[in-house]
């Protein structure tokens, strides 16, 4: 399985390439063994990211005997590589969820997705996870007049449900982001930031302390049903259990091929600057919020605890030099924060985002006792933590109707192998749409594009 779509191109990048800021600054994780020999467990979890470890935490806390198998190490994939923005909700607005699923199921779904940040910050507090957590809110600045209209509707829908959200005027957005680039936006005070790798390592430590057995460098290479049990093979051992949770999201491999074909893994890429000098730093996100804007190919950005700016956006599917992969990000920094002209970039890294066709996470029973939750569409810090809890309840026997999230049947994407091409074409199309919007907004003088 390809680990990274990027390659190293120059001596300069050999120093920093693909070493994430998070791996350079994270609190250490628990030291883990590789699985050797044949073991039994009540529940086996495949994948040690937020989904798998949150499930392990709840299962072990409820007294279940759990084994977690991780192909590489805890947080080596999306959960340790992401932007660390704790974002409430999913891509769809709450009214849309209720219209799609009906008032009862949809209403419970809205409550479930809205509970994500509370759950993340509660686990951090309860298990004393040192991950530089801040709960100062998440901002979505608008890049166009039409985006601002959609945001106004979103704010109204969440306010109706009692959420602490607020529509921001142009000057308020400029003050909170420190950028003149946006015409307005909204702030969702339920959100915040974490050091994502420290957070996932903290979950692992907490789950292990409760008795979960977590094995690194132990990829599940085979999965067989024997009677009422599953046997999962790894290179040096096996686990037998009645229930298996697949928590592999964008990194789902051919172990369960139909599941892999329900997702499109899309690369996302980030750069981090050197620590910004104090005086300049005060001009950028001075309230400590994180932000993701409304371009189709959105840019997401925040400061870390040492005052580096982290800028994330689409990655590239092609095997290109990092300089090429990062060009778009340098341009975004220049556009949003021209005051940072001349700043040096010290970290460059990327990962895969699990996208679904309906832009919703999915919860499935793939086969009897084989459960999965995945497809967070770039909003997994909170949602994958919630999904882990849902999967744990389900594995312990909660009826599907009481999970607070609809269980759907597996729907592999037709012609999946051509969908990578489709995704590339879609990205080109979205880039073109964003380009048109930029031109239109300059013409209409919406915002203050440089
Ligand atoms: C660059 C980037 C930026 C992002 N930014 C944000 C953000 O700011 N906010 C936000 O909310 N979301 C963000 N996301 C999304 C978020 O990171 C993910 O949705 C979330 O981490 C998914 O967690 P997970 O545990 O389901 O999957 P992962 O963390 O990817 O874990 C899956 C694990 O399964 C393992 N695995 C796969 N196959 C096997 C196997 N056969 N055997 C054993 N193990 C296996 C993998 O090695 C991996 O460790 C971002 C994602 C990326 C890539």
């Amino acid at each position: 399985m390809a680990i990274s779509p990027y390659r190293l191109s120059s001596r300069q990048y050999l120093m920093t390439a693909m070493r994430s800021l998070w791996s350079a600054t994270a609190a250490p994780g628990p030291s883990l063994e590789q699985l050797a020999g044949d073991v039994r467990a009540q529940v086996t979890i495949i994948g040690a990211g937020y989904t798998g470890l949150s499930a392990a935490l709840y299962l072990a806390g409820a007294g279940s005997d759990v084994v977690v198998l991780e192909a590489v190490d805890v947080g080596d994939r999306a959960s340790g590589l992401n932007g660390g923005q704790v974002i409430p909700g999913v891509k769809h607005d709450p009214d849309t969820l209720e219209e799609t699923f009906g008032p009862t199921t949809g209403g419970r779904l809205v409550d479930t997705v809205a509970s994500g940040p509370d759950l993340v910050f509660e686990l951090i507090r309860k298990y004393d996870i040192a991950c530089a957590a801040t709960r100062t809110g998440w901002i979505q600045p608008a890049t166009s007049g039409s985006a601002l209209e959609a945001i106004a509707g979103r704010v109204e829908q969440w306010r109706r449900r009692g959420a602490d959200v607020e529509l921001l005027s142009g000057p308020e957005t400029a003050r909170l982001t420190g950028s003149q680039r946006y015409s307005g936006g909204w702030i969702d005070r339920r959100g915040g930031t974490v050091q994502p790798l420290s957070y996932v390592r903290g979950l692992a430590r907490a789950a292990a302390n409760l008795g979960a057995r977590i094995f690194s460098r132990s990829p599940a290479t085979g999965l067989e049903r024997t009677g009422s049990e599953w046997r999962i093979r790894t290179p040096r051992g096996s686990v037998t259990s009645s229930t298996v949770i697949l928590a592999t999201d964008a990194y789902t491999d051919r172990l369960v091929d139909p599941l892999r074909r329900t997702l499109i893994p899309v690369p996302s890429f980030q750069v981090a600057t050197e620590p910004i000098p104090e005086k300049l730093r005060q001009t950028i996100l001075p309230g400590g919020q994180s932000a993701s804007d409304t371009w189709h190919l959105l840019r997401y950005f925040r400061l870390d605890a040492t005052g580096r700016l982290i800028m994330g956006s689409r990655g590239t599917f092609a095997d290109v030099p990092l300089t090429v992969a990062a060009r778009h990000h340098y341009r975004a920094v220049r556009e949003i924060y021209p005051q940072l002209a001349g700043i040096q970039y010290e970290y460059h890294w990327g990962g895969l985002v699990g996208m679904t066709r309906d832009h919703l996470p999915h919860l499935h029973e793939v086969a009897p006792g084989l459960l999965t939750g995945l497809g967070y569409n770039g909003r997994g810090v909170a949602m994958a933590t919630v999904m882990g809890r849902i999967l744990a309840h389900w594995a312990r026997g909660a009826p599907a109707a009481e999970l607070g999230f609809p269980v759907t049947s597996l729907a592999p994407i037709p012609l999946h192998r051509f969908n990578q091409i489709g995704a590339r074409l879609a990205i080109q199309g979205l880039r073109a749409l964003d380009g048109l919007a930029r031109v239109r907004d300059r013409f209409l003088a919406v915002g203050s594009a440089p």
Side-chain angles (χ1 to χ4, degrees):
M1 184 172 50
I3 288 173
S4 153
Y6 309 102
R7 70 185 149 91
L8 314 185
S9 66
S10 69
R11 195 169 167 70
Q12 181 200 358
Y13 279 110
L14 278 176
M15 308 300 293
T16 57
M18 302 314 294
R19 181 166 183 247
S20 79
L21 169 63
W22 310 130
S23 65
T25 58
S31 63
L32 302 171
E33 307 268 300
Q34 187 180 26
L35 176 67
D38 302 320
V39 298
R40 297 187 69 84
Q42 284 170 310
V43 182
T44 305
I45 297 170
I46 301 176
Y50 304 138
T51 306
L53 291 169
S54 158
L57 186 63
Y58 278 96
L59 282 163
S64 295
D65 180 21
V66 190
V67 161
V68 182
L69 298 174
E70 168 52 51
V72 252
D73 206 345
V74 165
D76 267 12
R77 298 296 181 250
S79 296
L81 294 167
N82 62 72
Q85 303 199 6
V86 183
I87 307 173
V90 289
K91 294 269 171 169
H92 295 291
D93 290 335
D95 281 2
T96 310
L97 294 178
E98 290 196 11
E99 280 153 24
T100 308
F101 293 97
T104 309
T105 307
R108 293 191 66 198
L109 176 57
V110 171
D111 292 344
T112 301
V113 303
S115 70
D118 279 347
L119 180 65
V120 169
F121 291 107
E122 171 57 18
L123 291 178
I124 290 169
R125 190 200 57 75
K126 182 170 177 187
Y127 295 103
D128 201 14
I129 299 176
C131 61
T134 62
R135 199 165 188 188
T136 43
W138 171 75
I139 297 170
Q140 189 174 39
T143 53
S144 68
S146 56
L148 203 50
E149 275 170 36
I151 278 176
R154 192 164 301 144
V155 167
E156 187 275 315
Q157 293 177 33
W158 279 120
R159 282 181 85 96
R160 232 191 298 133
R161 291 168 174 86
D164 188 2
V165 300
E166 194 185 327
L167 193 62
L168 301 172
S169 66
E172 283 164 339
T173 307
R175 185 176 58 78
L176 284 173
T177 59
S179 172
Q180 300 297 323
R181 175 65 190 85
Y182 300 105
S183 50
W186 68 298
I187 180 165
D188 188 331
R189 293 197 180 82
R190 298 170 295 176
T193 63
V194 291
Q195 207 286 19
L197 181 57
S198 295
Y199 171 53
V200 71
R201 285 180 175 172
L203 290 178
R205 194 178 292 284
N209 286 342
L210 290 169
R213 288 173 284 165
I214 308 172
F215 296 98
S216 63
R217 292 160 289 124
S218 304
T221 52
L223 182 64
E224 294 143 23
R225 184 96 171 137
T226 49
S228 60
E229 294 187 312
W230 292 97
R231 183 161 178 268
I232 305 112
R233 274 180 286 111
T234 69
R236 295 182 58 208
S238 74
V239 196
T240 303
S241 58
S242 55
T243 306
V244 176
I245 293 176
L246 293 158
T248 48
D249 193 42
Y251 295 88
T252 302
D253 57 18
R254 291 181 190 273
L255 186 69
V256 182
D257 201 52
L259 182 65
R260 182 184 68 84
R261 288 186 280 113
T262 65
L263 286 181
I264 307 283
V266 171
S268 187
F269 192 74
Q270 289 172 96
V271 299
T273 66
E274 61 188 331
I276 300 169
E278 183 58 33
K279 220 168 156 195
L280 257 181
R281 192 187 305 176
Q282 287 166 8
T283 69
I284 293 169
L285 293 162
Q289 289 87 14
S290 57
S292 317
D293 71 20
T294 59
W295 289 119
H296 288 101
L297 299 178
L298 64 88
R299 285 99 52 101
Y300 52 99
F301 46 97
R302 55 168 288 192
L303 296 179
D304 80 337
T306 62
R308 298 169 190 274
L309 178 74
I310 300 140
M311 178 62 69
S313 187
R314 69 180 163 80
T316 155
F317 285 94
D319 178 19
V320 296
L322 278 170
T323 35
V324 175
R327 260 198 320 233
H328 177 75
H329 300 66
Y330 301 155
R331 201 182 311 129
V333 173
R334 282 197 302 273
E335 182 185 313
I336 300 169
Y337 293 117
Q339 63 268 47
L340 290 183
I343 198 86
Q344 298 296 304
Y345 293 89
E346 293 189 345
Y347 296 94
H348 302 74
W349 73 101
L352 297 174
V353 175
M355 305 294 287
T356 54
R357 285 213 298 179
D358 57 8
H359 301 293
L360 278 172
H362 293 165
L363 180 62
H364 306 297
E365 185 169 27
V366 179
L370 183 55
L371 314 178
T372 189
L374 76 181
Y376 306 106
N377 293 274
R379 294 208 178 172
V381 177
M383 193 56 226
T385 309
V386 173
M387 190 63 93
R389 184 176 61 177
I390 292 171
L391 287 162
H393 289 159
W394 202 9
R396 283 186 61 81
E402 289 175 17
L403 297 173
F405 199 99
V407 175
T408 50
S409 30
L410 210 64
I413 298 171
L415 303 173
H416 182 266
R417 75 198 161 96
F418 298 109
N419 270 273
Q420 289 282 350
I421 301 167
R424 288 180 204 207
L425 290 174
I427 284 177
Q428 300 295 340
L430 294 175
R431 189 190 302 166
L433 278 178
D434 285 342
L436 277 174
R438 278 190 168 87
V439 172
R440 191 193 54 217
D441 287 350
R442 275 197 192 128
F443 185 64
L444 296 172
V446 175
S448 46

